[in-house]
Amino acid sequence: MTDPVLSVRGISKSFGALKASDDVNLDLQPGEIHALIGPNGAGKSTLIKQIAGGLRPDSGQVHFLGKDVTLLSTVARARMGLARTFQISSLAMEDTVLQNALLGALGAQGKPFRFFHPVLKDSALRDIAETALSRVNLLDHATMRTSELSHGQRRQLEVAVALTLNPKAFIMDEPMAGLGTSGSQNLTTFLDELRHEAPILLVEHDMDAVFALADRISVLVYGKIIATGSVDEIRAHPEVRRAYLGEDA
Amino acid sequence: MKRETMINALLALGLLAVPLWALIADEPFYITLATRVAIFALAGVGLNIAIGLGGLVSFGHAAFFGLGGYAMGVLASHAQSYTPMMEWPFLIEGSNSMPVIWITAVIASGLAALVIGALSLRTAGVYFIMITLAFGQMLYYFTISWPAYGGEDGLSIYIRNGFPGLNTLDPIQFFAITFVILGLALVFSTLLAKSPFGLALNAARQSSERVETIGITPYRLRLTAFVISGMITGLAGALFADLNRFVSPTMFSWQTSGEIMVFIILGGTARLFGPVAGAALFIALEQVLGGLSDYWHIYLGLLLLCVVLFARGGIIGTLAGEEARHD
Ligand SMILES: Nc1ncnc2c1ncn2[C@@H]1O[C@H](COP(=O)(O)OP(=O)(O)OP(=O)(O)O)[C@@H](O)[C@H]1O
Ligand SMILES: [Mg+2]
């Protein structure tokens, strides 16, 4: 097996008596989509926060590109090429769609301390931003204010911003939520191709999308990974069926 | 032309027309009033970069206004008494040249903003407001208890400082200086809002998390904005001291911080010309209501309350409608 792009090693995190992450091990191989599923409140978003920065685990490590990044800031991890999309959009709502995409391009370029040249006239940044928007079919909405987008469109914009970073790995928290059937299908097709640019750790409730996309699936229940395997293995796993797919054993 | 642009142009013309009329009508008092408006607006343009663009509600900008004022006071008092400020390890003399004073004011307030900002920006919200307030008050009490430069009584400067080629004692010429500086600050402020830095700063105001996720540290953006903001307000302080030919610890008081904030709120937070409109209204109210009652601040308070409750966009926002600051 090749070296994983991302690997989570024995991460635990408690909030008081609640174990949100319980000795979690997980990795992301080059070119793969690794889906993380689990019921509401299982600790998926909490795990993502520890991987992307912003929440320090009580114990365990996160390795990214062969480096221990457990103690690095969110900014440092982003600069290494870790791109994250949020379950609850954290876009600049007052800004336009294009401005949000430009912000991503600016972050990737790493030179925000320029005070005189209008950012909208910076053709290098604009190219990156517009390409990313067109890839998620949002270019027509470029001049719209982000707060006017539907929830689904905000998710797409989250993905577009992640694209502008040209990252080494994507971590996506429920990118399909609120998209509707045809929207999810489009995004599914898109992510299917995207995995060849960089592997994706995908948290998703939409099981059609998960089963269509995932090379591997990990199931998180009460902060613990109870199974990791291929789509068929997970479908057949009795404990998974009981705990997550809501079937009687 | 967009409506807000038109309102801005009218404001600029108005600020120019009043002193020109006063010149013809031989009413120098109104030239002085217009000069005060320009200087207060400049202080507000500085604060607006912190509050409007950066979301950094500083209640301590009197610190920078006062430092600018004392940069003028200290330099000019040494020049007027022909005593050097410092002889060892190298000689520093006073100065009565405006450009020298301005540069000193900008550097002093920029350094102060760097220190105050570096400490205060580790907090947010109410704590940030309180810490900036505390720094302002510290400087206030420091100047009161520092006898070398007049202590509580302040410092009088007998002759207005000079600018090459101009007679600064002529009210209209001094007004012209402040008007041009205000204009330059407004141009700079526009460029800043549209620049890559402005985009990132403005995004950090809306979501720190977003900015971190794309690999930019919000703290650095905010500190830079705070320093720029302090420098502009400091320059306004130097001009204000020169207008009055007097500096006193009052420039450092929290009331001064409050007044600069009032200009912005009245005029419209984050609106380019908000501080101009706000400062003009403030001075107009002070003249009209101040003549009727010593307690005119009560009416100002009521007006502020109305703006905050019913017209969040201030004067500019109410006149220009839906905000359109980023296109
Ligand atoms: N900062 C916090 N302090 C205390 N409890 C927290 C905190 N963050 C999350 N939790 C708790 O940890 C548990 C896991 O939350 P998390 O958001 O990670 O779940 P999730 O798997 O993403 O759920 P969903 O599918 O609804 O998004 C929940 O019970 C939540 O209430
Ligand atoms: Mg979640």
Side-chain angles (χ1 to χ4, degrees), chain A residues 34-50:
Chain A
H34 189 151
L36 180 65
I37 63 174
N40 289 110
K44 304 182 293 295
S45 296
T46 305
L47 182 61
I48 284 193
K49 238 189 223 163
Q50 295 172 88

Side-chain angles (χ1 to χ4, degrees), chain A residues 79 90 92 94 117 119 158, chain B residues 194 196 205-206 210 215 325:
Chain A
R79 299 208 61 84
S90 74
E94 296 169 21
H117 194 268
V119 68
E158 287 268 351
Chain B
K194 294 184 174 183
R205 175 178 62 77
Q206 298 169 60
R210 162 57 43 191
R325 58 181 180 205

Side-chain angles (χ1 to χ4, degrees), chain B residues 32-62:
Chain B
T32 304
L33 279 190
T35 311
R36 280 183 69 199
V37 171
I39 294 172
F40 283 164
L42 181 66
V45 168
L47 181 59
N48 209 15
I49 290 175
I51 294 188
L53 205 58
L56 310 171
V57 183
S58 162
F59 210 146
H61 261 49

